[in-house]
Amino acid sequence: MNICVYCGSSNGNNKKILDLAQKFGRLMTERGHNLVYGGSSLGVMGIIADSVMLNGGEVVGVIPENLFSKEVAHTGITRLITVKDMHQRKSHMAELSDAFVAFPGGFGTMEELFEIITWNQIGLINKPVTVMNIDGFYDSLIRMIDHAVGVGFIKPKNRAIVQTAESLEECLDLCENNQ
Ligand code: AMP
């Protein structure tokens, strides 16, 4: 499978997240999966890409031309695809991928996560989306989603689009089981 990972372009300050990012790269490679991501060499993005490459997996990065220097495009991956803009980046990543995982990250990560949820919601795609909840990072986001269900803005059937994993193994199980 090609697994798309959305994650921070910076490191944050919780070492556990970086350790698990590295382990995830190894584990997904051991389970025969390839990585699709945003093509940066920085932050959690760079750590996962390096780990997949180090463990003999394939990595495809998709980066907009104007971010090439700002996000320091990763030139040591299997294939780096340059696209015109952010919208092309996201649609290209979605086309290439069979499943989506959100590791901890900032606005960029959350924007990508919510877009892929909504693409599933309106039926543009039908591919599993899993939030990797390291150290409770996504607890409050999940609470917000459940609150929106309670207030009637998200249908329970659409709530089910967002899966939550508490371990790396569970995360990969959820990606694989929904194929
Ligand atoms: P962040 O989580 O903010 O560190 O960003 C993670 C990644 O998301 C970075 O590669 C950003 O360039 C990317 N990103 C931010 N906004 C968007 C967007 N609107 N569309 C696609 N990627 C984005």
Side-chain angles (χ1 to χ4, degrees), residues 21-85:
Q22 203 171 27
K23 287 200 180 99
F24 190 72
R26 192 185 70 223
L27 198 64
M28 65 178 275
T29 309
E30 283 170 3
R31 287 169 69 151
H33 306 306
N34 298 317
L35 174 68
V36 174
Y37 84 120
S40 170
S41 60
L42 301 178
V44 183
M45 297 173 78
I47 290 174
I48 298 186
D50 284 344
S51 174
V52 172
M53 289 304 293
L54 189 73
N55 288 286
E58 288 196 359
V59 176
V60 177
V62 185
I63 195 158
E65 50 198 17
N66 61 335
L67 279 187
F68 209 84
S69 53
K70 199 166 165 237
E71 291 203 349
V72 194
H74 200 317
T75 51
I77 56 178
T78 316
R79 194 152 62 100
L80 183 66
I81 299 169
T82 309
V83 292
K84 275 222 125 14
D85 53 35

Coordinates of all heavy atoms in Angstrom, one line a residue, residues 21-85:
A21 N 7.8 8.7 15.2 CA 7.8 9.0 13.8 C 8.9 8.1 13.1 O 8.7 7.5 12.1 CB 8.1 10.4 13.5
Q22 N 10.0 8.0 13.8 CA 11.1 7.2 13.3 C 10.7 5.7 13.2 O 10.9 5.0 12.2 CB 12.3 7.4 14.1 CG 13.6 7.0 13.5 CD 14.8 7.4 14.3 OE1 14.7 7.5 15.6 NE2 15.9 7.7 13.7
K23 N 10.1 5.3 14.3 CA 9.6 3.9 14.4 C 8.6 3.6 13.4 O 8.5 2.5 12.8 CB 9.1 3.5 15.8 CG 10.2 3.4 16.9 CD 9.7 2.7 18.1 CE 10.8 2.6 19.2 NZ 10.7 3.6 20.2
F24 N 7.7 4.5 13.2 CA 6.6 4.3 12.2 C 7.2 4.1 10.8 O 6.7 3.2 10.0 CB 5.7 5.5 12.2 CG 4.4 5.3 11.4 CD1 3.4 4.4 11.9 CD2 4.2 5.9 10.2 CE1 2.3 4.2 11.1 CE2 3.0 5.7 9.4 CZ 2.1 4.8 9.9
G25 N 8.2 4.9 10.4 CA 8.9 4.7 9.1 C 9.4 3.2 9.0 O 9.2 2.6 7.9
R26 N 10.0 2.8 10.1 CA 10.5 1.4 10.0 C 9.4 0.4 9.9 O 9.4 -0.5 9.1 CB 11.4 1.1 11.2 CG 12.2 -0.2 11.1 CD 13.0 -0.5 12.3 NE 12.1 -0.9 13.4 CZ 12.2 -0.5 14.7 NH1 13.2 0.3 15.1 NH2 11.4 -1.0 15.6
L27 N 8.4 0.5 10.8 CA 7.3 -0.4 10.9 C 6.5 -0.5 9.6 O 6.2 -1.6 9.1 CB 6.4 -0.1 12.0 CG 5.5 -1.1 12.6 CD1 6.3 -2.3 13.2 CD2 4.5 -0.6 13.6
M28 N 6.2 0.6 9.0 CA 5.4 0.6 7.7 C 6.2 -0.1 6.6 O 5.7 -0.8 5.8 CB 4.9 2.0 7.4 CG 5.9 3.0 7.0 SD 5.1 4.6 6.5 CE 4.7 4.2 4.8
T29 N 7.5 0.1 6.6 CA 8.4 -0.5 5.6 C 8.4 -2.0 5.8 O 8.3 -2.8 4.9 CB 9.8 0.1 5.7 OG1 9.7 1.5 5.7 CG2 10.6 -0.4 4.5
E30 N 8.6 -2.4 7.1 CA 8.6 -3.8 7.4 C 7.3 -4.5 7.0 O 7.2 -5.7 6.6 CB 8.8 -4.1 8.9 CG 10.2 -3.9 9.3 CD 10.4 -3.8 10.9 OE1 9.4 -4.0 11.6 OE2 11.5 -3.6 11.3
R31 N 6.2 -3.8 7.0 CA 4.9 -4.3 6.7 C 4.6 -4.1 5.2 O 3.5 -4.4 4.7 CB 3.8 -3.7 7.5 CG 3.9 -4.3 9.0 CD 3.0 -3.6 10.0 NE 1.6 -3.8 9.9 CZ 0.7 -3.8 10.9 NH1 1.2 -3.6 12.2 NH2 -0.5 -3.9 10.8
G32 N 5.6 -3.7 4.4 CA 5.5 -3.7 3.0 C 4.9 -2.4 2.3 O 4.5 -2.5 1.2
H33 N 4.8 -1.4 3.1 CA 4.1 -0.2 2.6 C 5.1 0.9 2.2 O 6.2 1.0 2.7 CB 3.2 0.4 3.7 CG 2.2 -0.6 4.2 ND1 1.4 -1.3 3.4 CD2 2.0 -1.0 5.5 CE1 0.6 -2.1 4.1 NE2 1.0 -1.9 5.4
N34 N 4.7 1.8 1.3 CA 5.5 2.9 0.8 C 4.9 4.2 1.4 O 3.7 4.3 1.7 CB 5.6 2.9 -0.7 CG 6.2 1.7 -1.3 OD1 7.2 1.2 -0.8 ND2 5.6 1.1 -2.3
L35 N 5.8 5.2 1.4 CA 5.3 6.5 2.0 C 5.1 7.5 0.9 O 5.9 7.7 -0.1 CB 6.5 7.0 2.9 CG 6.3 8.5 3.4 CD1 5.1 8.5 4.4 CD2 7.5 9.0 4.1
V36 N 3.9 8.2 1.0 CA 3.7 9.4 0.2 C 3.6 10.6 1.2 O 2.9 10.4 2.2 CB 2.3 9.3 -0.6 CG1 2.0 10.6 -1.3 CG2 2.4 8.1 -1.6
Y37 N 4.3 11.7 0.9 CA 4.2 12.8 1.9 C 4.6 14.1 1.1 O 4.8 14.1 -0.1 CB 5.1 12.5 3.1 CG 6.6 12.9 2.9 CD1 7.2 13.8 3.7 CD2 7.3 12.3 1.8 CE1 8.5 14.2 3.5 CE2 8.7 12.7 1.7 CZ 9.2 13.6 2.5 OH 10.5 14.0 2.3
G38 N 4.7 15.2 1.9 CA 4.8 16.5 1.3 C 6.2 16.8 0.8 O 6.4 18.0 0.3
G39 N 7.2 15.9 0.9 CA 8.5 16.1 0.2 C 9.5 17.0 0.9 O 10.6 17.3 0.4
S40 N 9.2 17.4 2.2 CA 10.2 18.2 2.9 C 11.2 17.4 3.7 O 10.9 16.2 4.0 CB 9.4 19.1 3.9 OG 10.3 19.7 4.8
S41 N 12.4 18.0 3.9 CA 13.4 17.3 4.7 C 13.3 17.7 6.1 O 14.1 17.3 6.9 CB 14.8 17.5 4.1 OG 15.0 18.9 4.1
L42 N 12.4 18.6 6.5 CA 12.4 19.2 7.8 C 11.4 18.5 8.7 O 10.4 17.9 8.3 CB 12.0 20.7 7.7 CG 12.9 21.6 6.8 CD1 12.4 23.0 6.8 CD2 14.3 21.6 7.4
G43 N 11.6 18.6 10.0 CA 10.7 18.3 11.0 C 10.3 16.8 11.0 O 11.1 15.9 10.6
V44 N 9.1 16.5 11.5 CA 8.6 15.2 11.5 C 8.5 14.6 10.1 O 8.8 13.4 9.9 CB 7.2 15.1 12.2 CG1 6.7 13.7 12.3 CG2 7.2 15.8 13.6
M45 N 8.2 15.4 9.2 CA 8.2 15.0 7.7 C 9.5 14.3 7.3 O 9.6 13.2 6.8 CB 7.9 16.2 6.8 CG 6.5 16.8 7.0 SD 6.3 18.3 6.1 CE 5.9 17.7 4.5
G46 N 10.6 15.1 7.6 CA 11.9 14.6 7.3 C 12.3 13.3 8.0 O 12.9 12.4 7.5
I47 N 11.9 13.2 9.3 CA 12.2 12.0 10.1 C 11.5 10.8 9.6 O 12.2 9.7 9.4 CB 11.8 12.3 11.6 CG1 12.8 13.3 12.2 CG2 11.9 11.0 12.4 CD1 12.4 13.8 13.6
I48 N 10.3 10.9 9.2 CA 9.6 9.7 8.7 C 10.2 9.3 7.3 O 10.4 8.1 7.1 CB 8.1 9.9 8.6 CG1 7.5 10.2 10.0 CG2 7.4 8.7 7.9 CD1 6.0 10.3 10.0
A49 N 10.4 10.3 6.5 CA 10.9 10.0 5.1 C 12.3 9.3 5.3 O 12.6 8.3 4.6 CB 11.0 11.2 4.3
D50 N 13.2 9.9 6.1 CA 14.5 9.3 6.3 C 14.4 7.9 6.8 O 15.2 7.0 6.4 CB 15.3 10.1 7.3 CG 15.8 11.4 6.8 OD1 15.8 11.6 5.5 OD2 16.2 12.3 7.6
S51 N 13.5 7.6 7.7 CA 13.4 6.3 8.3 C 12.9 5.3 7.3 O 13.4 4.1 7.2 CB 12.4 6.3 9.5 OG 12.2 5.1 10.0
V52 N 12.0 5.6 6.4 CA 11.5 4.7 5.4 C 12.6 4.4 4.4 O 12.9 3.3 4.1 CB 10.3 5.3 4.6 CG1 9.9 4.4 3.4 CG2 9.1 5.4 5.6
M53 N 13.4 5.5 4.0 CA 14.5 5.3 3.1 C 15.6 4.4 3.7 O 16.1 3.4 3.1 CB 15.1 6.6 2.7 CG 14.3 7.5 1.8 SD 13.8 6.7 0.3 CE 15.4 6.5 -0.6
L54 N 15.9 4.6 5.0 CA 16.9 3.9 5.7 C 16.6 2.4 5.8 O 17.4 1.5 5.8 CB 17.1 4.5 7.1 CG 18.2 4.0 8.0 CD1 19.5 4.6 7.4 CD2 18.1 4.4 9.4
N55 N 15.3 2.1 5.9 CA 14.8 0.7 6.1 C 14.5 0.1 4.7 O 13.9 -1.0 4.7 CB 13.7 0.7 7.0 CG 14.1 1.0 8.5 OD1 14.8 0.1 9.1 ND2 13.9 2.2 9.0
G56 N 14.8 0.7 3.6 CA 14.7 0.1 2.3 C 13.3 0.3 1.7 O 13.0 -0.4 0.7
G57 N 12.5 1.2 2.2 CA 11.2 1.4 1.6 C 11.3 2.5 0.5 O 12.3 3.0 0.2
E58 N 10.1 2.7 -0.2 CA 10.0 3.8 -1.2 C 9.3 5.0 -0.7 O 8.3 4.9 0.1 CB 9.3 3.2 -2.4 CG 10.1 2.2 -3.2 CD 9.5 2.0 -4.6 OE1 8.5 2.6 -5.0 OE2 10.1 1.1 -5.3
V59 N 9.8 6.2 -1.0 CA 9.3 7.4 -0.6 C 9.0 8.3 -1.8 O 9.9 8.6 -2.6 CB 10.2 8.2 0.4 CG1 9.6 9.5 0.8 CG2 10.5 7.3 1.6
V60 N 7.7 8.8 -1.9 CA 7.4 9.7 -2.9 C 7.0 11.0 -2.2 O 6.1 11.0 -1.4 CB 6.2 9.2 -3.8 CG1 5.9 10.3 -4.8 CG2 6.6 8.0 -4.5
G61 N 7.7 12.1 -2.6 CA 7.4 13.4 -2.0 C 6.7 14.3 -3.0 O 7.1 14.3 -4.2
V62 N 5.7 15.1 -2.6 CA 5.1 16.0 -3.6 C 5.2 17.4 -3.0 O 4.6 17.7 -1.9 CB 3.6 15.6 -3.8 CG1 2.9 16.5 -4.8 CG2 3.4 14.1 -4.1
I63 N 5.9 18.3 -3.7 CA 6.2 19.6 -3.1 C 5.9 20.7 -4.2 O 6.2 20.6 -5.3 CB 7.6 19.7 -2.6 CG1 7.8 20.9 -1.7 CG2 8.6 19.7 -3.8 CD1 9.0 20.8 -0.8
P64 N 5.2 21.8 -3.8 CA 5.0 22.9 -4.7 C 6.3 23.6 -5.0 O 7.1 23.7 -4.1 CB 4.0 23.8 -3.9 CG 3.5 23.0 -2.7 CD 4.6 22.0 -2.4
E65 N 6.4 24.2 -6.2 CA 7.7 24.7 -6.6 C 8.1 25.9 -5.7 O 9.2 26.1 -5.4 CB 7.7 25.1 -8.1 CG 6.5 25.9 -8.5 CD 6.3 26.0 -10.0 OE1 6.9 25.1 -10.7 OE2 5.6 26.8 -10.5
N66 N 7.1 26.7 -5.2 CA 7.4 27.9 -4.4 C 7.9 27.5 -2.9 O 8.4 28.3 -2.2 CB 6.3 28.9 -4.3 CG 5.0 28.3 -3.7 OD1 4.8 27.1 -3.7 ND2 4.2 29.2 -3.2
L67 N 7.6 26.2 -2.6 CA 8.1 25.8 -1.2 C 9.4 25.0 -1.3 O 9.9 24.6 -0.2 CB 7.0 24.9 -0.6 CG 5.8 25.5 0.0 CD1 5.0 24.5 0.8 CD2 6.3 26.6 1.0
F68 N 9.9 24.8 -2.5 CA 11.1 24.0 -2.7 C 12.2 24.4 -1.8 O 12.8 23.5 -1.1 CB 11.5 24.1 -4.2 CG 12.2 22.9 -4.7 CD1 11.4 21.8 -5.1 CD2 13.6 22.7 -4.6 CE1 12.1 20.6 -5.6 CE2 14.2 21.6 -5.1 CZ 13.4 20.5 -5.6
S69 N 12.5 25.7 -1.7 CA 13.6 26.1 -0.8 C 13.1 26.3 0.6 O 13.8 25.9 1.6 CB 14.3 27.4 -1.3 OG 13.3 28.3 -1.5
K70 N 12.0 26.9 0.8 CA 11.5 27.2 2.2 C 11.3 25.9 3.0 O 11.7 25.9 4.2 CB 10.1 27.9 2.1 CG 9.7 28.6 3.3 CD 8.6 29.6 3.0 CE 8.0 30.0 4.3 NZ 6.6 29.8 4.5
E71 N 10.8 24.9 2.5 CA 10.6 23.6 3.2 C 11.8 22.7 3.0 O 11.8 21.6 3.5 CB 9.3 23.0 2.9 CG 8.1 23.7 3.3 CD 6.9 22.9 3.5 OE1 6.8 21.7 3.1 OE2 5.9 23.4 4.1
V72 N 12.8 23.1 2.3 CA 14.0 22.3 2.0 C 13.6 20.9 1.5 O 13.6 20.0 2.2 CB 14.9 22.2 3.2 CG1 16.3 21.7 2.8 CG2 15.1 23.5 4.0
A73 N 13.3 20.9 0.2 CA 12.9 19.7 -0.5 C 13.9 18.6 -0.2 O 15.1 18.8 -0.3 CB 12.8 20.0 -2.0
H74 N 13.4 17.4 0.0 CA 14.2 16.2 0.3 C 14.7 15.6 -1.0 O 13.9 15.1 -1.7 CB 13.4 15.2 1.1 CG 14.2 14.3 1.9 ND1 15.3 13.7 1.4 CD2 14.1 13.8 3.2 CE1 15.8 12.8 2.3 NE2 15.1 12.9 3.4
T75 N 16.0 15.7 -1.2 CA 16.5 15.2 -2.5 C 17.0 13.7 -2.4 O 17.4 13.1 -3.4 CB 17.7 16.1 -3.0 OG1 18.6 16.2 -1.9 CG2 17.1 17.4 -3.5
G76 N 16.9 13.2 -1.2 CA 17.4 11.8 -1.0 C 16.3 10.8 -0.9 O 16.5 9.7 -0.3
I77 N 15.2 11.1 -1.6 CA 14.1 10.1 -1.5 C 13.9 9.5 -2.9 O 14.5 9.9 -3.9 CB 12.7 10.8 -1.1 CG1 12.4 12.0 -2.0 CG2 12.8 11.2 0.4 CD1 11.1 12.7 -1.6
T78 N 13.0 8.5 -3.0 CA 12.9 7.7 -4.2 C 12.5 8.6 -5.4 O 13.0 8.5 -6.5 CB 11.8 6.6 -4.0 OG1 12.1 5.9 -2.8 CG2 11.9 5.5 -5.1
R79 N 11.4 9.4 -5.1 CA 10.9 10.3 -6.2 C 10.4 11.6 -5.6 O 9.6 11.5 -4.7 CB 9.8 9.6 -7.0 CG 9.4 10.2 -8.3 CD 8.9 9.2 -9.3 NE 7.6 8.5 -8.8 CZ 6.4 8.9 -9.2 NH1 6.2 9.8 -10.1 NH2 5.4 8.3 -8.7
L80 N 10.9 12.7 -6.1 CA 10.4 14.0 -5.7 C 9.6 14.6 -6.8 O 10.2 14.9 -7.9 CB 11.6 14.9 -5.2 CG 11.2 16.3 -4.7 CD1 10.4 16.1 -3.3 CD2 12.4 17.1 -4.5
I81 N 8.3 14.8 -6.6 CA 7.5 15.4 -7.7 C 7.2 16.9 -7.3 O 6.8 17.2 -6.2 CB 6.1 14.6 -7.7 CG1 6.4 13.1 -8.0 CG2 5.2 15.3 -8.8 CD1 5.2 12.3 -7.9
T82 N 7.5 17.7 -8.3 CA 7.3 19.2 -8.1 C 6.0 19.5 -8.8 O 5.7 19.2 -9.9 CB 8.4 20.0 -8.7 OG1 9.7 19.5 -8.2 CG2 8.3 21.5 -8.3
V83 N 5.1 20.2 -8.0 CA 3.8 20.7 -8.6 C 3.7 22.2 -8.5 O 4.5 22.8 -7.8 CB 2.6 20.0 -7.9 CG1 2.6 18.5 -8.2 CG2 2.7 20.2 -6.4
K84 N 2.6 22.7 -9.1 CA 2.5 24.2 -9.1 C 2.1 24.8 -7.8 O 2.7 25.8 -7.4 CB 1.4 24.5 -10.2 CG 1.9 24.6 -11.6 CD 1.3 25.8 -12.3 CE 2.3 26.8 -13.0 NZ 3.6 26.3 -13.1
D85 N 1.2 24.2 -7.1 CA 0.7 24.9 -5.9 C 0.2 23.8 -4.9 O 0.2 22.6 -5.1 CB -0.4 25.9 -6.2 CG -1.6 25.2 -7.1 OD1 -1.8 24.0 -6.8 OD2 -2.1 25.9 -7.9

